[in-house]
Amino acid sequence: MSDLQHLEDEILAAITGAADLTALEDVRVGALGKKGRVSALMKDLGQMEPEDRKAFGQAVNGLKQRVSDALTARKDALQEAEMAVRLQAEQADVTLPVREGPIGAGRIHPITQVTEEVTEIFADMGFSIAEGPDIETDENNFTALNIPPEHPARQTQDSFYFAEKADGSRPLLRTHTSPVQIRTMRAVAPPLRIIVPGRVYRRDSDQTHTPMFHQVEGLVVDEETHFGHLKWVLEEFCKSYFEVDGVKMRYRASHFPFTEPSMEVDIGYAKVGDEIRIGEGDEWMEILGCGMVHPNVLRNVDLDPDRYQGFAFGVGLDRLAMLKYGMPDLRDFFANDLRWLRHYGFSTLDVPTLARGLSS
Ligand code: PHE
C-alpha cells in the first residue's frame, strides 16, 4: 500500500510541476497511458489471490481517479493561464478610432472629381455623354470642323502627329474634343444635346499648360437653337459648378473656324489673399470658347443649315479644377506625388450630386 501511496505522491507532484500543457500530457501518458505506471499495476492483479485482488483493485482505481482528477484540474489551470497571457497580449482598446481601410485611404483625382461634377450638372439639363478616341484623323480633328489646311493649329508645333500612313494620311492626338461633334453628328440625327469630357493634347508646357489636358465639349443641334440658349446654359453651368448664386460672365468676340459667331467667355473673380472668389471682384479669367455651329460644319456632316442650327462650347476642365479647388500649378496634376493627391484628392465615397451639393 505504501508503494501505491508513494507512486501517487510522485505522479501528483509531477502534475503540479508540469509547466505547460505539453509537459502535462507527458505526465498523463507516463501514468495512465497504455504503458503507463498505473496501467502496469493492473497487470499485477492477475497474479493475486482473489481476496487481495479486490482491495488492490479498489486502491488502484481510487488512485487512478485521483490522478485523473488532478490532471483535469491542472489542465484547466494551465489553459486558463495561457488564455490570460493571450488576453493580455492581444488587448484591444475598443475606444480607439477605427483605422482608415484601403477604400477610405484612396483618393479620387481632382480631374475625375471635376469631370463627375460637370457631368452631373449637364446631365441634369438633359445632356447625354458622348466619347471619342484620343487618336484622331485629320478629317475629324480639322477638315470637317472647317479648319482650312493653312490654319496654324495644324502646324506640327501645336499638334502631336503620328508617322504618315501608306495612304498619305497622318493620325494625330486630338488637339480638342471638337472632333466628337463630327463623330456624333455623323452617327445620330438631331435633336442633339451632348457633352464630351476627355483628354486632349498640344505641344505646350508651363504653369498653366501641360501637353495633355482635359476639356468638356458641349454640342446642341436642333431646329430652333439660338445664342440665348447658349448663354443660359453656360450661366447655369457656372453657377452650379462654382456653387454660387450669381456669376459675372463676359463674352468676348473671338474666332474659331467651326463656330460663327464665336466667343471666348471670361468669368469674374476677386483675389482675396491666396483665395479666389468666383462671382465677385473685377478680375477676369478665360474659361471657355463657344459659338453657334458654323453652317459649313453642318454641311460637312450632311445637315441642312437652313433647317438646323446649334451651339457648341469647349471648357478647359483643368482650369476649372484649379479655379474651384485652388491648385496653383497645373503640372502638379500629373506628377503623381502622393502628398499632393492626399491633399487635393477627394474621398471615394463623396460622389458629386446636385441634391447633396457637388463638392460637399
Ligand atoms: N475647340 C476649341 C478649343 O479647343 C473650343 C471650342 C469648342 C470653341 C467649341 C468653340 C466651340 O479651343
Side-chain angles (χ1 to χ4, degrees), residues 107-127:
R107 286 289 173 271
I108 298 289
H109 194 286
I111 286 294
T112 307
Q113 171 78 15
V114 164
T115 306
E116 276 167 16
E117 291 181 20
V118 170
T119 306
E120 170 74 12
I121 295 167
F122 283 110
D124 190 60
M125 290 194 233
F127 284 70

PDB file of all heavy atoms in Angstrom, residues 107-127:
ATOM      1  N   ARG A 107      -7.761  58.087 -52.823  1.00  0.00           N
ATOM      2  CA  ARG A 107      -8.279  59.414 -53.162  1.00  0.00           C
ATOM      3  C   ARG A 107      -8.652  59.489 -54.634  1.00  0.00           C
ATOM      4  O   ARG A 107      -7.987  58.903 -55.480  1.00  0.00           O
ATOM      5  CB  ARG A 107      -7.225  60.491 -52.868  1.00  0.00           C
ATOM      6  CG  ARG A 107      -7.048  60.786 -51.384  1.00  0.00           C
ATOM      7  CD  ARG A 107      -8.261  61.534 -50.823  1.00  0.00           C
ATOM      8  NE  ARG A 107      -8.200  61.690 -49.374  1.00  0.00           N
ATOM      9  CZ  ARG A 107      -8.680  60.807 -48.501  1.00  0.00           C
ATOM     10  NH1 ARG A 107      -9.240  59.692 -48.922  1.00  0.00           N
ATOM     11  NH2 ARG A 107      -8.595  61.034 -47.208  1.00  0.00           N
ATOM     12  N   ILE A 108      -9.712  60.236 -54.915  1.00  0.00           N
ATOM     13  CA  ILE A 108     -10.137  60.495 -56.282  1.00  0.00           C
ATOM     14  C   ILE A 108      -9.376  61.721 -56.780  1.00  0.00           C
ATOM     15  O   ILE A 108      -9.337  62.748 -56.099  1.00  0.00           O
ATOM     16  CB  ILE A 108     -11.661  60.783 -56.308  1.00  0.00           C
ATOM     17  CG1 ILE A 108     -12.452  59.572 -55.807  1.00  0.00           C
ATOM     18  CG2 ILE A 108     -12.117  61.210 -57.694  1.00  0.00           C
ATOM     19  CD1 ILE A 108     -12.467  58.396 -56.728  1.00  0.00           C
ATOM     20  N   HIS A 109      -8.787  61.625 -57.948  1.00  0.00           N
ATOM     21  CA  HIS A 109      -8.037  62.750 -58.512  1.00  0.00           C
ATOM     22  C   HIS A 109      -8.993  63.914 -58.794  1.00  0.00           C
ATOM     23  O   HIS A 109     -10.127  63.695 -59.233  1.00  0.00           O
ATOM     24  CB  HIS A 109      -7.359  62.299 -59.803  1.00  0.00           C
ATOM     25  CG  HIS A 109      -6.307  63.242 -60.286  1.00  0.00           C
ATOM     26  ND1 HIS A 109      -6.618  64.448 -60.878  1.00  0.00           N
ATOM     27  CD2 HIS A 109      -4.950  63.163 -60.251  1.00  0.00           C
ATOM     28  CE1 HIS A 109      -5.479  65.063 -61.194  1.00  0.00           C
ATOM     29  NE2 HIS A 109      -4.464  64.300 -60.825  1.00  0.00           N
ATOM     30  N   PRO A 110      -8.539  65.156 -58.528  1.00  0.00           N
ATOM     31  CA  PRO A 110      -9.422  66.308 -58.762  1.00  0.00           C
ATOM     32  C   PRO A 110     -10.020  66.339 -60.181  1.00  0.00           C
ATOM     33  O   PRO A 110     -11.154  66.788 -60.355  1.00  0.00           O
ATOM     34  CB  PRO A 110      -8.499  67.508 -58.543  1.00  0.00           C
ATOM     35  CG  PRO A 110      -7.444  67.018 -57.630  1.00  0.00           C
ATOM     36  CD  PRO A 110      -7.267  65.558 -57.908  1.00  0.00           C
ATOM     37  N   ILE A 111      -9.264  65.872 -61.176  1.00  0.00           N
ATOM     38  CA  ILE A 111      -9.803  65.884 -62.540  1.00  0.00           C
ATOM     39  C   ILE A 111     -11.010  64.945 -62.666  1.00  0.00           C
ATOM     40  O   ILE A 111     -12.026  65.280 -63.279  1.00  0.00           O
ATOM     41  CB  ILE A 111      -8.709  65.468 -63.559  1.00  0.00           C
ATOM     42  CG1 ILE A 111      -7.711  66.608 -63.731  1.00  0.00           C
ATOM     43  CG2 ILE A 111      -9.319  65.104 -64.912  1.00  0.00           C
ATOM     44  CD1 ILE A 111      -8.309  67.851 -64.369  1.00  0.00           C
ATOM     45  N   THR A 112     -10.887  63.785 -62.035  1.00  0.00           N
ATOM     46  CA  THR A 112     -12.004  62.843 -62.047  1.00  0.00           C
ATOM     47  C   THR A 112     -13.201  63.457 -61.321  1.00  0.00           C
ATOM     48  O   THR A 112     -14.339  63.409 -61.792  1.00  0.00           O
ATOM     49  CB  THR A 112     -11.589  61.527 -61.354  1.00  0.00           C
ATOM     50  OG1 THR A 112     -10.400  61.066 -61.957  1.00  0.00           O
ATOM     51  CG2 THR A 112     -12.672  60.476 -61.485  1.00  0.00           C
ATOM     52  N   GLN A 113     -12.903  64.055 -60.183  1.00  0.00           N
ATOM     53  CA  GLN A 113     -13.960  64.685 -59.387  1.00  0.00           C
ATOM     54  C   GLN A 113     -14.673  65.776 -60.192  1.00  0.00           C
ATOM     55  O   GLN A 113     -15.899  65.821 -60.279  1.00  0.00           O
ATOM     56  CB  GLN A 113     -13.341  65.287 -58.117  1.00  0.00           C
ATOM     57  CG  GLN A 113     -14.269  66.160 -57.299  1.00  0.00           C
ATOM     58  CD  GLN A 113     -15.242  65.366 -56.448  1.00  0.00           C
ATOM     59  OE1 GLN A 113     -15.057  64.164 -56.249  1.00  0.00           O
ATOM     60  NE2 GLN A 113     -16.272  66.027 -55.945  1.00  0.00           N
ATOM     61  N   VAL A 114     -13.883  66.648 -60.801  1.00  0.00           N
ATOM     62  CA  VAL A 114     -14.446  67.773 -61.546  1.00  0.00           C
ATOM     63  C   VAL A 114     -15.219  67.267 -62.777  1.00  0.00           C
ATOM     64  O   VAL A 114     -16.291  67.773 -63.102  1.00  0.00           O
ATOM     65  CB  VAL A 114     -13.315  68.753 -61.930  1.00  0.00           C
ATOM     66  CG1 VAL A 114     -13.756  69.702 -63.011  1.00  0.00           C
ATOM     67  CG2 VAL A 114     -12.865  69.521 -60.705  1.00  0.00           C
ATOM     68  N   THR A 115     -14.701  66.233 -63.437  1.00  0.00           N
ATOM     69  CA  THR A 115     -15.421  65.643 -64.572  1.00  0.00           C
ATOM     70  C   THR A 115     -16.790  65.146 -64.115  1.00  0.00           C
ATOM     71  O   THR A 115     -17.809  65.348 -64.787  1.00  0.00           O
ATOM     72  CB  THR A 115     -14.614  64.466 -65.176  1.00  0.00           C
ATOM     73  OG1 THR A 115     -13.317  64.934 -65.483  1.00  0.00           O
ATOM     74  CG2 THR A 115     -15.278  63.940 -66.435  1.00  0.00           C
ATOM     75  N   GLU A 116     -16.809  64.514 -62.953  1.00  0.00           N
ATOM     76  CA  GLU A 116     -18.082  63.996 -62.450  1.00  0.00           C
ATOM     77  C   GLU A 116     -19.027  65.134 -62.073  1.00  0.00           C
ATOM     78  O   GLU A 116     -20.233  65.052 -62.287  1.00  0.00           O
ATOM     79  CB  GLU A 116     -17.846  63.053 -61.269  1.00  0.00           C
ATOM     80  CG  GLU A 116     -17.526  61.652 -61.762  1.00  0.00           C
ATOM     81  CD  GLU A 116     -16.971  60.735 -60.687  1.00  0.00           C
ATOM     82  OE1 GLU A 116     -17.099  61.069 -59.488  1.00  0.00           O
ATOM     83  OE2 GLU A 116     -16.412  59.692 -61.060  1.00  0.00           O
ATOM     84  N   GLU A 117     -18.475  66.195 -61.507  1.00  0.00           N
ATOM     85  CA  GLU A 117     -19.319  67.342 -61.148  1.00  0.00           C
ATOM     86  C   GLU A 117     -19.950  67.954 -62.406  1.00  0.00           C
ATOM     87  O   GLU A 117     -21.149  68.219 -62.450  1.00  0.00           O
ATOM     88  CB  GLU A 117     -18.483  68.416 -60.425  1.00  0.00           C
ATOM     89  CG  GLU A 117     -18.012  67.992 -59.042  1.00  0.00           C
ATOM     90  CD  GLU A 117     -17.208  69.080 -58.316  1.00  0.00           C
ATOM     91  OE1 GLU A 117     -17.318  70.269 -58.694  1.00  0.00           O
ATOM     92  OE2 GLU A 117     -16.493  68.743 -57.387  1.00  0.00           O
ATOM     93  N   VAL A 118     -19.105  68.165 -63.429  1.00  0.00           N
ATOM     94  CA  VAL A 118     -19.574  68.785 -64.667  1.00  0.00           C
ATOM     95  C   VAL A 118     -20.624  67.891 -65.352  1.00  0.00           C
ATOM     96  O   VAL A 118     -21.675  68.357 -65.804  1.00  0.00           O
ATOM     97  CB  VAL A 118     -18.374  69.045 -65.610  1.00  0.00           C
ATOM     98  CG1 VAL A 118     -18.847  69.449 -66.993  1.00  0.00           C
ATOM     99  CG2 VAL A 118     -17.461  70.110 -65.027  1.00  0.00           C
ATOM    100  N   THR A 119     -20.340  66.605 -65.375  1.00  0.00           N
ATOM    101  CA  THR A 119     -21.264  65.653 -65.979  1.00  0.00           C
ATOM    102  C   THR A 119     -22.619  65.690 -65.271  1.00  0.00           C
ATOM    103  O   THR A 119     -23.676  65.681 -65.906  1.00  0.00           O
ATOM    104  CB  THR A 119     -20.673  64.229 -65.886  1.00  0.00           C
ATOM    105  OG1 THR A 119     -19.379  64.242 -66.468  1.00  0.00           O
ATOM    106  CG2 THR A 119     -21.546  63.228 -66.606  1.00  0.00           C
ATOM    107  N   GLU A 120     -22.551  65.738 -63.954  1.00  0.00           N
ATOM    108  CA  GLU A 120     -23.785  65.773 -63.159  1.00  0.00           C
ATOM    109  C   GLU A 120     -24.626  67.005 -63.510  1.00  0.00           C
ATOM    110  O   GLU A 120     -25.839  66.920 -63.680  1.00  0.00           O
ATOM    111  CB  GLU A 120     -23.401  65.765 -61.665  1.00  0.00           C
ATOM    112  CG  GLU A 120     -24.520  66.030 -60.688  1.00  0.00           C
ATOM    113  CD  GLU A 120     -25.480  64.858 -60.526  1.00  0.00           C
ATOM    114  OE1 GLU A 120     -25.156  63.756 -60.990  1.00  0.00           O
ATOM    115  OE2 GLU A 120     -26.563  65.088 -59.952  1.00  0.00           O
ATOM    116  N   ILE A 121     -23.965  68.137 -63.676  1.00  0.00           N
ATOM    117  CA  ILE A 121     -24.697  69.378 -63.962  1.00  0.00           C
ATOM    118  C   ILE A 121     -25.366  69.295 -65.344  1.00  0.00           C
ATOM    119  O   ILE A 121     -26.552  69.599 -65.489  1.00  0.00           O
ATOM    120  CB  ILE A 121     -23.746  70.594 -63.918  1.00  0.00           C
ATOM    121  CG1 ILE A 121     -23.197  70.778 -62.502  1.00  0.00           C
ATOM    122  CG2 ILE A 121     -24.470  71.860 -64.385  1.00  0.00           C
ATOM    123  CD1 ILE A 121     -22.023  71.749 -62.421  1.00  0.00           C
ATOM    124  N   PHE A 122     -24.612  68.876 -66.345  1.00  0.00           N
ATOM    125  CA  PHE A 122     -25.188  68.828 -67.693  1.00  0.00           C
ATOM    126  C   PHE A 122     -26.210  67.702 -67.841  1.00  0.00           C
ATOM    127  O   PHE A 122     -27.186  67.831 -68.581  1.00  0.00           O
ATOM    128  CB  PHE A 122     -24.082  68.718 -68.746  1.00  0.00           C
ATOM    129  CG  PHE A 122     -23.394  70.032 -68.996  1.00  0.00           C
ATOM    130  CD1 PHE A 122     -22.087  70.241 -68.595  1.00  0.00           C
ATOM    131  CD2 PHE A 122     -24.082  71.079 -69.611  1.00  0.00           C
ATOM    132  CE1 PHE A 122     -21.460  71.461 -68.804  1.00  0.00           C
ATOM    133  CE2 PHE A 122     -23.460  72.309 -69.827  1.00  0.00           C
ATOM    134  CZ  PHE A 122     -22.149  72.497 -69.426  1.00  0.00           C
ATOM    135  N   ALA A 123     -25.997  66.599 -67.130  1.00  0.00           N
ATOM    136  CA  ALA A 123     -26.984  65.517 -67.175  1.00  0.00           C
ATOM    137  C   ALA A 123     -28.323  66.030 -66.657  1.00  0.00           C
ATOM    138  O   ALA A 123     -29.383  65.722 -67.201  1.00  0.00           O
ATOM    139  CB  ALA A 123     -26.505  64.328 -66.340  1.00  0.00           C
ATOM    140  N   ASP A 124     -28.245  66.868 -65.632  1.00  0.00           N
ATOM    141  CA  ASP A 124     -29.462  67.424 -65.055  1.00  0.00           C
ATOM    142  C   ASP A 124     -30.190  68.338 -66.045  1.00  0.00           C
ATOM    143  O   ASP A 124     -31.398  68.521 -65.971  1.00  0.00           O
ATOM    144  CB  ASP A 124     -29.090  68.204 -63.781  1.00  0.00           C
ATOM    145  CG  ASP A 124     -30.317  68.603 -62.982  1.00  0.00           C
ATOM    146  OD1 ASP A 124     -31.054  67.692 -62.572  1.00  0.00           O
ATOM    147  OD2 ASP A 124     -30.533  69.819 -62.790  1.00  0.00           O
ATOM    148  N   MET A 125     -29.441  68.935 -66.989  1.00  0.00           N
ATOM    149  CA  MET A 125     -30.046  69.785 -68.005  1.00  0.00           C
ATOM    150  C   MET A 125     -30.466  68.966 -69.228  1.00  0.00           C
ATOM    151  O   MET A 125     -30.871  69.537 -70.241  1.00  0.00           O
ATOM    152  CB  MET A 125     -29.044  70.857 -68.454  1.00  0.00           C
ATOM    153  CG  MET A 125     -28.752  71.922 -67.423  1.00  0.00           C
ATOM    154  SD  MET A 125     -27.888  73.304 -68.240  1.00  0.00           S
ATOM    155  CE  MET A 125     -26.466  73.498 -67.219  1.00  0.00           C
ATOM    156  N   GLY A 126     -30.327  67.668 -69.190  1.00  0.00           N
ATOM    157  CA  GLY A 126     -30.795  66.829 -70.285  1.00  0.00           C
ATOM    158  C   GLY A 126     -29.749  66.495 -71.332  1.00  0.00           C
ATOM    159  O   GLY A 126     -30.082  65.998 -72.408  1.00  0.00           O
ATOM    160  N   PHE A 127     -28.471  66.772 -71.039  1.00  0.00           N
ATOM    161  CA  PHE A 127     -27.412  66.398 -71.973  1.00  0.00           C
ATOM    162  C   PHE A 127     -27.024  64.938 -71.751  1.00  0.00           C
ATOM    163  O   PHE A 127     -27.083  64.444 -70.630  1.00  0.00           O
ATOM    164  CB  PHE A 127     -26.158  67.253 -71.738  1.00  0.00           C
ATOM    165  CG  PHE A 127     -26.257  68.657 -72.264  1.00  0.00           C
ATOM    166  CD1 PHE A 127     -27.100  69.596 -71.654  1.00  0.00           C
ATOM    167  CD2 PHE A 127     -25.502  69.064 -73.358  1.00  0.00           C
ATOM    168  CE1 PHE A 127     -27.189  70.896 -72.121  1.00  0.00           C
ATOM    169  CE2 PHE A 127     -25.584  70.369 -73.832  1.00  0.00           C
ATOM    170  CZ  PHE A 127     -26.434  71.288 -73.217  1.00  0.00           C
TER     171      PHE A 127
END
